Amino acid sequence: MIARITEKSRVLVELPLLIFVRIADGDGAMTAHEMERFEELIANPSWCSSPLLQRSLIHTREEKPAFWKRYAKGDIRVGVDAVEASIDTVLTSISSEERVQIEADLAKFCAELLAVAKASAGLFRRDTAAASEFDAVTALIRRPSARSGGAATSQETTAARGAASLPIAFSADLLTAEVSPDYVWQRGKIRLTCVDVVDETHDVRTFHFVSDPGRLFRFLPGQFITFELPIDGKIVRRSYTISATPSRPHVLSVTIKRIPDGLVSNWMHENMTPGTQVFGEGPFGKFTCVGEAPGPYLFVSGGSGVTPVMSMARWLCDTASGADIHFVHFARSPDDLIYAAELDYLSRRHRNFKTTFVVSRPGEAWSGPTGHISHELLPEIVPDLHARHVYLCGPVPFMVAAKEALEKLDYNMDNFRQESFGGAPSSAKPAQASGVMARIVFSGAGSEIDCATSDTVLDIALKAGVDIAYSCRAGQCGSCKVPMSEGKVDHDCSDGLGSDDAEAGFILACQARPIGRVVIAV
């Protein structure tokens, strides 16, 4: 099944705006005539054969002022990859009958924009930039690939391609050609094809992806990506740290532990096979060693929290940094140690790299350290702790215990970094036992919902069926930024807001908790 697109879905509402900006302003020279024609097209949608698009254009008109403001500030990407991802998201989420209508309508919309661009250029000139963008966008609209109903299955994709792998000729081109945005993904939504699945332990797998169409991946070690997965007829978003290193840019990898009753982790383990295609968005996150002090480092990880510090370790080793690294990894048992063989190899290969494994259920054959992280254990296994810069990631209880241990040891917390996405301890205030403490008004949707001050704006929106874009749900990526016209909110984290966003009245829906009555302009 596929997730349904409605007339209020943000991706459909913003698609005409993205296409217009791409064609009319691709050369940075949008004209008044082009803007006037665009206004006419969205104000009078009688040219549309699709009832869905006609209804959606009403919301496009309403969203246009906020869109222009974000576009002027540089908060909206209008690259071909963003337009491509939006077109594919819309056309894979509607019925085949609606798809035919909307494809034709979007092509007509592009033709109208190109016509006014040609007229604006004059009799003896040609708007070559608009013509080029018109060709690119209409090709994306007409392209039949990945339009048969969501993510392609492994059998269909493998049969179509012969094998799920990055073409060798293209790999060579990426290494020798001049690098441009067409060759490198460094921000935004991207279509990914799974090319390999590796069992790390009995319940942990690494999934390797390439870009489709092929591009190199550019990110900071420690950052994460948000997947859009078609599960039970809905698009479910979930963020995972990129376990690969940016020093090996042809393949992007994530390492996922299967959680009992975990919706996404179980889906990935059961359905993500070579050839499967999904969308991802990112990279997000500020947990990285890049741009920080050059070490010496202490990487401390618990369980599947090993992934961001492993990405950093791989990058530091690949780039011949010579960094002094002590990598301490905690797990339940020797069989639960993720990347054990690779970490042992790095210790043998790099003279400044040391690995220590600690398990809490050792078994008879184990000869290494045992126990849980504590202020007694840390100095024993890391005697030079106070000379190192600590990077920590793991389950929330593990991170709380590690931080408490460091504080008891009078460690200089200025040298401490901790991953926060997906599970840092919340500072949310508990809801009172009775009485309505807050109300959220979604002015665009015409909804008013009573809630507790412990609820986030995003949680209430999702329950009420109000469409708000979101991604990381950790206050990092800024995808859920929405305008608040009245009221006040508390933010658990506001890293995803720019310096001018608060003054302009924007909040992060995933982190904002209402104080009294608030009005959200969506």
mmCIF file of all heavy atoms in Angstrom, residues 371-400:
data_model
loop_
_atom_site.group_PDB
_atom_site.id
_atom_site.type_symbol
_atom_site.label_atom_id
_atom_site.label_comp_id
_atom_site.label_asym_id
_atom_site.label_seq_id
_atom_site.Cartn_x
_atom_site.Cartn_y
_atom_site.Cartn_z
ATOM 1 N N GLY A 371 31.468 -5.341 33.406
ATOM 2 C CA GLY A 371 30.721 -4.410 34.238
ATOM 3 C C GLY A 371 29.996 -3.359 33.433
ATOM 4 O O GLY A 371 29.915 -3.428 32.195
ATOM 5 N N HIS A 372 29.474 -2.364 34.163
ATOM 6 C CA HIS A 372 28.774 -1.239 33.549
ATOM 7 C C HIS A 372 29.612 0.024 33.707
ATOM 8 O O HIS A 372 30.488 0.101 34.585
ATOM 9 C CB HIS A 372 27.410 -1.046 34.212
ATOM 10 C CG HIS A 372 26.503 -2.236 34.065
ATOM 11 N ND1 HIS A 372 25.758 -2.464 32.925
ATOM 12 C CD2 HIS A 372 26.228 -3.266 34.909
ATOM 13 C CE1 HIS A 372 25.054 -3.573 33.061
ATOM 14 N NE2 HIS A 372 25.315 -4.085 34.259
ATOM 15 N N ILE A 373 29.337 1.021 32.897
ATOM 16 C CA ILE A 373 30.101 2.260 32.971
ATOM 17 C C ILE A 373 29.886 2.924 34.324
ATOM 18 O O ILE A 373 28.760 3.013 34.832
ATOM 19 C CB ILE A 373 29.736 3.202 31.811
ATOM 20 C CG1 ILE A 373 30.772 4.323 31.698
ATOM 21 C CG2 ILE A 373 28.306 3.743 31.929
ATOM 22 C CD1 ILE A 373 30.718 5.076 30.393
ATOM 23 N N SER A 374 30.981 3.386 34.941
ATOM 24 C CA SER A 374 30.908 3.984 36.272
ATOM 25 C C SER A 374 32.153 4.812 36.517
ATOM 26 O O SER A 374 33.144 4.720 35.771
ATOM 27 C CB SER A 374 30.801 2.898 37.352
ATOM 28 O OG SER A 374 32.005 2.135 37.405
ATOM 29 N N HIS A 375 32.124 5.600 37.596
ATOM 30 C CA HIS A 375 33.287 6.421 37.909
ATOM 31 C C HIS A 375 34.427 5.575 38.472
ATOM 32 O O HIS A 375 35.575 6.027 38.513
ATOM 33 C CB HIS A 375 32.913 7.537 38.899
ATOM 34 C CG HIS A 375 32.560 7.072 40.269
ATOM 35 N ND1 HIS A 375 31.334 6.529 40.583
ATOM 36 C CD2 HIS A 375 33.289 7.059 41.413
ATOM 37 C CE1 HIS A 375 31.304 6.212 41.860
ATOM 38 N NE2 HIS A 375 32.472 6.515 42.390
ATOM 39 N N GLU A 376 34.124 4.341 38.888
ATOM 40 C CA GLU A 376 35.205 3.451 39.323
ATOM 41 C C GLU A 376 35.875 2.780 38.121
ATOM 42 O O GLU A 376 37.098 2.626 38.080
ATOM 43 C CB GLU A 376 34.656 2.358 40.257
ATOM 44 C CG GLU A 376 34.123 2.858 41.593
ATOM 45 C CD GLU A 376 32.636 3.124 41.558
ATOM 46 O OE1 GLU A 376 32.027 2.952 40.464
ATOM 47 O OE2 GLU A 376 32.072 3.498 42.611
ATOM 48 N N LEU A 377 35.070 2.369 37.136
ATOM 49 C CA LEU A 377 35.612 1.624 36.000
ATOM 50 C C LEU A 377 36.379 2.500 35.021
ATOM 51 O O LEU A 377 37.432 2.095 34.502
ATOM 52 C CB LEU A 377 34.470 0.903 35.278
ATOM 53 C CG LEU A 377 34.847 0.063 34.051
ATOM 54 C CD1 LEU A 377 35.823 -1.042 34.437
ATOM 55 C CD2 LEU A 377 33.604 -0.526 33.397
ATOM 56 N N LEU A 378 35.878 3.687 34.736
ATOM 57 C CA LEU A 378 36.492 4.525 33.692
ATOM 58 C C LEU A 378 37.982 4.787 33.919
ATOM 59 O O LEU A 378 38.791 4.612 32.997
ATOM 60 C CB LEU A 378 35.724 5.845 33.553
ATOM 61 C CG LEU A 378 34.577 5.875 32.542
ATOM 62 C CD1 LEU A 378 33.900 7.228 32.538
ATOM 63 C CD2 LEU A 378 35.071 5.538 31.141
ATOM 64 N N PRO A 379 38.408 5.207 35.117
ATOM 65 C CA PRO A 379 39.848 5.458 35.301
ATOM 66 C C PRO A 379 40.699 4.195 35.165
ATOM 67 O O PRO A 379 41.876 4.284 34.810
ATOM 68 C CB PRO A 379 39.928 6.022 36.725
ATOM 69 C CG PRO A 379 38.554 6.496 37.047
ATOM 70 C CD PRO A 379 37.639 5.570 36.313
ATOM 71 N N GLU A 380 40.103 3.041 35.444
ATOM 72 C CA GLU A 380 40.859 1.794 35.318
ATOM 73 C C GLU A 380 41.184 1.491 33.861
ATOM 74 O O GLU A 380 42.295 1.062 33.540
ATOM 75 C CB GLU A 380 40.069 0.633 35.917
ATOM 76 C CG GLU A 380 39.912 0.677 37.435
ATOM 77 C CD GLU A 380 39.139 -0.534 37.939
ATOM 78 O OE1 GLU A 380 38.967 -1.496 37.151
ATOM 79 O OE2 GLU A 380 38.705 -0.509 39.106
ATOM 80 N N ILE A 381 40.217 1.696 32.984
ATOM 81 C CA ILE A 381 40.446 1.339 31.577
ATOM 82 C C ILE A 381 40.995 2.512 30.765
ATOM 83 O O ILE A 381 41.561 2.306 29.685
ATOM 84 C CB ILE A 381 39.153 0.804 30.931
ATOM 85 C CG1 ILE A 381 38.019 1.812 31.013
ATOM 86 C CG2 ILE A 381 38.741 -0.514 31.593
ATOM 87 C CD1 ILE A 381 36.717 1.344 30.362
ATOM 88 N N VAL A 382 40.831 3.743 31.266
ATOM 89 C CA VAL A 382 41.364 4.929 30.574
ATOM 90 C C VAL A 382 42.128 5.780 31.595
ATOM 91 O O VAL A 382 41.621 6.789 32.103
ATOM 92 C CB VAL A 382 40.241 5.765 29.927
ATOM 93 C CG1 VAL A 382 40.836 6.831 28.997
ATOM 94 C CG2 VAL A 382 39.261 4.906 29.151
ATOM 95 N N PRO A 383 43.350 5.417 31.916
ATOM 96 C CA PRO A 383 44.112 6.148 32.939
ATOM 97 C C PRO A 383 44.338 7.624 32.601
ATOM 98 O O PRO A 383 44.424 8.456 33.503
ATOM 99 C CB PRO A 383 45.438 5.379 32.999
ATOM 100 C CG PRO A 383 45.127 4.025 32.450
ATOM 101 C CD PRO A 383 44.080 4.242 31.415
ATOM 102 N N ASP A 384 44.441 7.940 31.296
ATOM 103 C CA ASP A 384 44.673 9.332 30.888
ATOM 104 C C ASP A 384 43.373 10.027 30.499
ATOM 105 O O ASP A 384 43.362 10.911 29.635
ATOM 106 C CB ASP A 384 45.678 9.393 29.742
ATOM 107 C CG ASP A 384 45.216 8.621 28.501
ATOM 108 O OD1 ASP A 384 44.221 7.865 28.610
ATOM 109 O OD2 ASP A 384 45.845 8.769 27.444
ATOM 110 N N LEU A 385 42.265 9.649 31.136
ATOM 111 C CA LEU A 385 40.941 10.184 30.831
ATOM 112 C C LEU A 385 40.927 11.703 30.755
ATOM 113 O O LEU A 385 40.361 12.298 29.832
ATOM 114 C CB LEU A 385 39.953 9.695 31.895
ATOM 115 C CG LEU A 385 38.577 10.378 31.946
ATOM 116 C CD1 LEU A 385 37.777 10.047 30.691
ATOM 117 C CD2 LEU A 385 37.808 9.964 33.193
ATOM 118 N N HIS A 386 41.536 12.373 31.717
ATOM 119 C CA HIS A 386 41.441 13.835 31.812
ATOM 120 C C HIS A 386 42.182 14.547 30.679
ATOM 121 O O HIS A 386 41.961 15.747 30.462
ATOM 122 C CB HIS A 386 41.967 14.302 33.167
ATOM 123 C CG HIS A 386 41.083 13.911 34.310
ATOM 124 N ND1 HIS A 386 39.991 14.642 34.695
ATOM 125 C CD2 HIS A 386 41.113 12.827 35.140
ATOM 126 C CE1 HIS A 386 39.390 14.060 35.717
ATOM 127 N NE2 HIS A 386 40.050 12.950 36.004
ATOM 128 N N ALA A 387 43.023 13.831 29.958
ATOM 129 C CA ALA A 387 43.755 14.438 28.846
ATOM 130 C C ALA A 387 43.020 14.283 27.518
ATOM 131 O O ALA A 387 43.479 14.807 26.503
ATOM 132 C CB ALA A 387 45.145 13.813 28.743
ATOM 133 N N ARG A 388 41.871 13.599 27.536
ATOM 134 C CA ARG A 388 41.189 13.276 26.286
ATOM 135 C C ARG A 388 39.878 14.047 26.113
ATOM 136 O O ARG A 388 39.253 14.426 27.104
ATOM 137 C CB ARG A 388 40.913 11.767 26.209
ATOM 138 C CG ARG A 388 42.177 10.941 26.143
ATOM 139 C CD ARG A 388 41.907 9.458 25.977
ATOM 140 N NE ARG A 388 43.175 8.745 25.800
ATOM 141 C CZ ARG A 388 43.790 8.578 24.633
ATOM 142 N NH1 ARG A 388 43.220 9.047 23.527
ATOM 143 N NH2 ARG A 388 44.938 7.947 24.553
ATOM 144 N N HIS A 389 39.495 14.227 24.850
ATOM 145 C CA HIS A 389 38.202 14.818 24.505
ATOM 146 C C HIS A 389 37.210 13.680 24.323
ATOM 147 O O HIS A 389 37.418 12.789 23.492
ATOM 148 C CB HIS A 389 38.317 15.643 23.220
ATOM 149 C CG HIS A 389 39.148 16.881 23.383
ATOM 150 N ND1 HIS A 389 38.607 18.132 23.535
ATOM 151 C CD2 HIS A 389 40.501 17.038 23.437
ATOM 152 C CE1 HIS A 389 39.570 19.018 23.661
ATOM 153 N NE2 HIS A 389 40.735 18.384 23.613
ATOM 154 N N VAL A 390 36.133 13.706 25.098
ATOM 155 C CA VAL A 390 35.195 12.592 25.143
ATOM 156 C C VAL A 390 34.031 12.807 24.177
ATOM 157 O O VAL A 390 33.402 13.877 24.167
ATOM 158 C CB VAL A 390 34.647 12.391 26.572
ATOM 159 C CG1 VAL A 390 33.578 11.304 26.591
ATOM 160 C CG2 VAL A 390 35.786 12.028 27.529
ATOM 161 N N TYR A 391 33.738 11.774 23.393
ATOM 162 C CA TYR A 391 32.555 11.734 22.518
ATOM 163 C C TYR A 391 31.739 10.517 22.942
ATOM 164 O O TYR A 391 32.242 9.388 22.906
ATOM 165 C CB TYR A 391 32.960 11.638 21.052
ATOM 166 C CG TYR A 391 33.543 12.917 20.517
ATOM 167 C CD1 TYR A 391 34.859 13.288 20.813
ATOM 168 C CD2 TYR A 391 32.772 13.780 19.743
ATOM 169 C CE1 TYR A 391 35.388 14.472 20.340
ATOM 170 C CE2 TYR A 391 33.296 14.973 19.263
ATOM 171 C CZ TYR A 391 34.605 15.314 19.567
ATOM 172 O OH TYR A 391 35.122 16.497 19.116
ATOM 173 N N LEU A 392 30.485 10.751 23.314
ATOM 174 C CA LEU A 392 29.655 9.722 23.928
ATOM 175 C C LEU A 392 28.373 9.492 23.135
ATOM 176 O O LEU A 392 27.709 10.444 22.729
ATOM 177 C CB LEU A 392 29.292 10.142 25.363
ATOM 178 C CG LEU A 392 28.239 9.327 26.107
ATOM 179 C CD1 LEU A 392 28.781 7.946 26.469
ATOM 180 C CD2 LEU A 392 27.777 10.079 27.358
ATOM 181 N N CYS A 393 27.996 8.224 22.941
ATOM 182 C CA CYS A 393 26.704 7.909 22.342
ATOM 183 C C CYS A 393 26.263 6.525 22.792
ATOM 184 O O CYS A 393 27.072 5.602 22.918
ATOM 185 C CB CYS A 393 26.773 7.952 20.817
ATOM 186 S SG CYS A 393 25.137 7.807 20.042
ATOM 187 N N GLY A 394 24.970 6.392 23.045
ATOM 188 C CA GLY A 394 24.405 5.115 23.451
ATOM 189 C C GLY A 394 22.985 5.309 23.924
ATOM 190 O O GLY A 394 22.412 6.401 23.805
ATOM 191 N N PRO A 395 22.367 4.271 24.484
ATOM 192 C CA PRO A 395 21.024 4.420 25.042
ATOM 193 C C PRO A 395 21.003 5.493 26.123
ATOM 194 O O PRO A 395 22.016 5.770 26.772
ATOM 195 C CB PRO A 395 20.729 3.030 25.621
ATOM 196 C CG PRO A 395 21.658 2.109 24.909
ATOM 197 C CD PRO A 395 22.887 2.901 24.618
ATOM 198 N N VAL A 396 19.829 6.096 26.333
ATOM 199 C CA VAL A 396 19.721 7.203 27.292
ATOM 200 C C VAL A 396 20.246 6.840 28.675
ATOM 201 O O VAL A 396 21.050 7.590 29.245
ATOM 202 C CB VAL A 396 18.264 7.705 27.365
ATOM 203 C CG1 VAL A 396 18.097 8.707 28.498
ATOM 204 C CG2 VAL A 396 17.859 8.338 26.053
ATOM 205 N N PRO A 397 19.865 5.701 29.285
ATOM 206 C CA PRO A 397 20.403 5.379 30.625
ATOM 207 C C PRO A 397 21.922 5.260 30.621
ATOM 208 O O PRO A 397 22.580 5.655 31.593
ATOM 209 C CB PRO A 397 19.741 4.037 30.951
ATOM 210 C CG PRO A 397 18.503 4.003 30.118
ATOM 211 C CD PRO A 397 18.865 4.701 28.851
ATOM 212 N N PHE A 398 22.472 4.717 29.544
ATOM 213 C CA PHE A 398 23.924 4.600 29.433
ATOM 214 C C PHE A 398 24.583 5.973 29.405
ATOM 215 O O PHE A 398 25.583 6.225 30.089
ATOM 216 C CB PHE A 398 24.275 3.807 28.169
ATOM 217 C CG PHE A 398 25.748 3.734 27.875
ATOM 218 C CD1 PHE A 398 26.544 2.788 28.485
ATOM 219 C CD2 PHE A 398 26.327 4.607 26.964
ATOM 220 C CE1 PHE A 398 27.905 2.711 28.210
ATOM 221 C CE2 PHE A 398 27.680 4.547 26.677
ATOM 222 C CZ PHE A 398 28.479 3.588 27.301
ATOM 223 N N MET A 399 24.028 6.892 28.604
ATOM 224 C CA MET A 399 24.607 8.238 28.514
ATOM 225 C C MET A 399 24.476 8.996 29.822
ATOM 226 O O MET A 399 25.382 9.734 30.219
ATOM 227 C CB MET A 399 23.964 9.007 27.359
ATOM 228 C CG MET A 399 24.308 8.458 25.985
ATOM 229 S SD MET A 399 23.928 9.603 24.625
ATOM 230 C CE MET A 399 22.155 9.589 24.665
ATOM 231 N N VAL A 400 23.353 8.829 30.525
ATOM 232 C CA VAL A 400 23.176 9.482 31.823
ATOM 233 C C VAL A 400 24.226 8.975 32.807
ATOM 234 O O VAL A 400 24.875 9.758 33.515
ATOM 235 C CB VAL A 400 21.754 9.233 32.359
ATOM 236 C CG1 VAL A 400 21.638 9.699 33.803
ATOM 237 C CG2 VAL A 400 20.723 9.949 31.498
#
